[in-house]
């Protein structure tokens, strides 16, 4: 079974600054995906960024980037130029990759509550 | 808007009762997943359906059941409700089991058991 650990229950950052959220995971799988989801007060789960484990290059999406260290099983999220709208709960998630696609369930961490201060 | 619709948005019911949560996936999506989000357990996978068939099961209680209908909408039935069942229940959908899939989440149903 896979486990995902987010060791920072809460973090805060000043507007326009950079913040990094940590995530570690444990798996015996070699093929998998990692995700960061954002849950604002509206409670909608929004996909922020995705990383395929077979790709060495770190994924980036505008102000969001990841530092994926496969050997260390670490997957941190960096948010640059933080904005007030980034205030949300952030969840790290793992998904095993199955050929034939019989199971695409996500395993989530406990989340990190990020507050961006003006 | 993810395109996944969950109804109702809020539900308050008494212990021992039974409720049904409904999910309409994005148009064309064949897979539906149910997740439970609670303060103590976090986000947990409950069950997955693909094109009407149960595909995977997670930490779903025996008091809970689900099904996916021919029009691909899904229902999660929760019975003999207990206070601890109070949670946010999410439905997510994805197109088909290819390697490039991702899950799109609905806005959730907030269930409060009193």
């Amino acid at each position: 079974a896979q486990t995902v650990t987010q060791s920072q229950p809460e973090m805060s950052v000043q507007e326009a600054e950079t913040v990094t959220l940590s995530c570690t995971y444990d798996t015996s799988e070699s093929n998998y995906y990692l995700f960061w989801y954002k849950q604002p007060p509206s409670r909608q789960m929004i996909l922020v960024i995705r990383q395929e484990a077979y790709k060495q290059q770190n994924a980036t999406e505008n102000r969001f980037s990841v530092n994926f260290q496969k050997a260390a099983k670490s997957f941190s999220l960096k948010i640059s130029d933080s904005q007030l709208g980034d205030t949300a709960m952030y969840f790290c998630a793992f998904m095993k990759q199955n050929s034939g696609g019989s199971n695409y369930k996500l395993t989530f961490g406990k989340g990190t509550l990020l507050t961006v201060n003006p | 808007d993810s395109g996944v619709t969950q109804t109702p948005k809020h539900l308050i019911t008494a212990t021992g009762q039974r409720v049904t949560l409904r999910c309409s996936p994005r148009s064309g999506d064949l897979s539906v997943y149910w997740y439970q989000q609670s303060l103590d357990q976090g986000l947990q996978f409950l069950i997955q359906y693909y094109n009407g068939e149960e595909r995977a099961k997670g930490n779903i209680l025996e008091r809970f059941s689900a099904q996916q209908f021919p029009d691909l909408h899904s229902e999660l039935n929760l019975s003999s409700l207990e206070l601890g069942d109070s949670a946010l229940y999410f439905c997510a959908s994805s197109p088909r089991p290819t390697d490039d899939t991702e899950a799109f989440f609905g806005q959730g149903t907030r269930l409060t058991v009193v």
Side-chain angles (χ1 to χ4, degrees), chain B residues 2-112:
Chain B
S2 67
V4 179
T5 303
Q6 289 188 248
T7 56
K9 286 188 170 48
H10 302 275
L11 196 50
I12 301 175
T13 190
T15 54
Q17 294 299 304
R18 172 190 169 94
V19 297
T20 297
L21 312 184
R22 181 187 170 101
C23 170
S24 294
R26 295 187 325 153
S27 177
D29 282 2
L30 299 178
S31 272
V32 169
Y33 310 78
W34 287 97
Y35 291 86
Q36 179 194 57
Q37 185 178 25
S38 61
L39 282 175
D40 52 346
Q41 298 291 330
L43 265 161
Q44 286 201 309
F45 168 72
L46 295 179
I47 197 164
Q48 178 202 3
Y49 278 82
Y50 175 72
N51 203 21
E53 293 185 3
E54 182 184 303
R55 189 58 70 97
K57 234 174 186 177
N59 298 324
I60 187 166
L61 300 172
E62 286 191 9
R63 300 182 285 108
F64 297 1
S65 65
Q67 54 183 326
Q68 186 179 27
F69 294 86
D71 66 352
L72 301 178
H73 91 272
S74 178
E75 293 181 355
L76 179 67
N77 300 296
L78 315 176
S79 61
S80 302
L81 285 167
E82 302 174 359
L83 296 177
D85 298 327
S86 295
L88 187 54
Y89 290 85
F90 281 107
C91 168
S93 73
S94 61
R96 61 190 182 278
T98 66
D99 288 344
D100 197 32
T101 193
E102 68 177 79
F104 296 86
F105 283 80
Q107 288 206 306
T109 293
R110 168 75 68 188
L111 174 66
T112 303

Side-chain angles (χ1 to χ4, degrees), chain A:
Chain A
Q2 290 73 230
T3 59
V4 178
T5 302
Q6 294 178 249
S7 58
Q8 306 150 314
E10 293 187 38
M11 294 190 72
S12 62
V13 64
Q14 292 299 120
E15 197 174 4
E17 293 188 348
T18 295
V19 64
T20 298
L21 309 183
S22 301
C23 172
T24 58
Y25 59 95
D26 189 24
T27 184
S28 58
E29 302 289 335
S30 55
N31 297 318
Y32 51 88
Y33 293 100
L34 294 164
F35 304 83
W36 279 97
Y37 277 88
K38 166 184 176 181
Q39 187 178 37
S42 68
R43 77 190 188 197
Q44 176 79 51
M45 293 290 287
I46 301 165
L47 178 63
V48 174
I49 198 164
R50 173 174 56 187
Q51 175 79 43
E52 292 88 342
Y54 65 87
K55 289 186 178 177
Q56 292 186 332
Q57 186 173 6
N58 289 324
T60 62
E61 286 287 342
N62 300 314
R63 299 182 293 108
F64 299 88
S65 61
V66 297
N67 183 5
F68 173 47
Q69 303 289 328
K70 191 172 184 179
K73 294 181 181 174
S74 169
F75 183 61
S76 61
L77 174 70
K78 186 171 83 171
I79 306 174
S80 304
D81 186 25
S82 297
Q83 300 176 1
L84 297 178
D86 295 333
T87 293
M89 183 73 85
Y90 286 81
F91 292 96
C92 179
F94 173 100
M95 183 175 78
K96 186 170 65 171
Q97 180 178 326
N98 278 345
S99 60
S102 62
N103 182 352
Y104 282 81
K105 74 180 180 93
L106 291 159
T107 300
F108 288 91
K110 293 287 189 186
T112 296
L113 179 60
L114 175 68
T115 303
V116 180
N117 298 309

